[in-house]
């Protein structure tokens, strides 16, 4: 579940960074001409990976319900960050990557 939360954060961040509305607030190296078109598909792929990471550990149906519950929590965190402190979201990328690695290492 820890890795799924990190992947979900990364996926939702990539989707937000791909939108014209949030490009100025989430400026970074991912807006280079080669990487910018890959943000939205990469975001959807990371969201799908978070769902896949959740299902085997929670016996199917419970995993899906847990993932659906996790989705508004992470989405709300990103929404508040975009509204009040967009720079903290960029700094949170390192934390999300660390959470994914920790979740993979512990199997959680």
């Amino acid at each position: 579940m820890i890795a799924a939360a990190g992947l979900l954060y990364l996926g939702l961040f990539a989707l937000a960074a791909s939108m014209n509305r949030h490009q100025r607030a989430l400026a970074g190296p991912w807006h280079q001409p080669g990487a910018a078109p890959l943000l939205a598909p990469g975001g959807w792929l990371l969201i799908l990976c978070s769902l896949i990471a959740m299902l085997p550990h929670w016996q199917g149906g419970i995993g899906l319900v847990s993932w659906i519950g996790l989705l508004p929590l992470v989405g709300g965190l990103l929404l508040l960050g975009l509204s009040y402190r967009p720079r903290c979201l960029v700094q949170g990328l390192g934390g999300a990557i660390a959470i994914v690695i920790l979740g993979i290492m512990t199997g959680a």
Side-chain angles (χ1 to χ4, degrees):
M1 185 163 159
I2 294 171
L7 287 169
L8 197 55
Y9 181 90
L10 293 171
L12 291 174
F13 181 89
L15 284 177
S18 71
M19 296 179 188
N20 289 334
R21 165 186 262 178
H22 304 303
Q23 270 187 339
R24 181 175 288 168
L26 301 175
W30 42 84
H31 287 119
Q32 294 176 356
L38 301 175
L39 282 173
W44 285 111
L45 183 65
L46 285 167
I47 291 171
L48 180 65
C49 287
S50 74
L51 176 62
I52 291 169
M54 187 72 121
L55 291 178
H57 298 290
W58 292 86
Q59 307 301 324
I62 296 172
L64 181 62
V65 171
S66 298
W67 182 80
I68 290 172
L70 190 61
L71 186 62
L73 290 175
V74 175
L77 177 72
L78 276 149
L79 176 79
L80 288 173
L82 279 169
S83 298
Y84 297 107
R85 299 213 187 256
R87 299 284 179 210
C88 289
L89 293 179
V90 175
Q91 295 169 353
L93 288 176
I97 292 170
I99 287 173
V100 171
I101 292 170
L102 178 69
I104 290 171
M105 287 175 44
T106 61

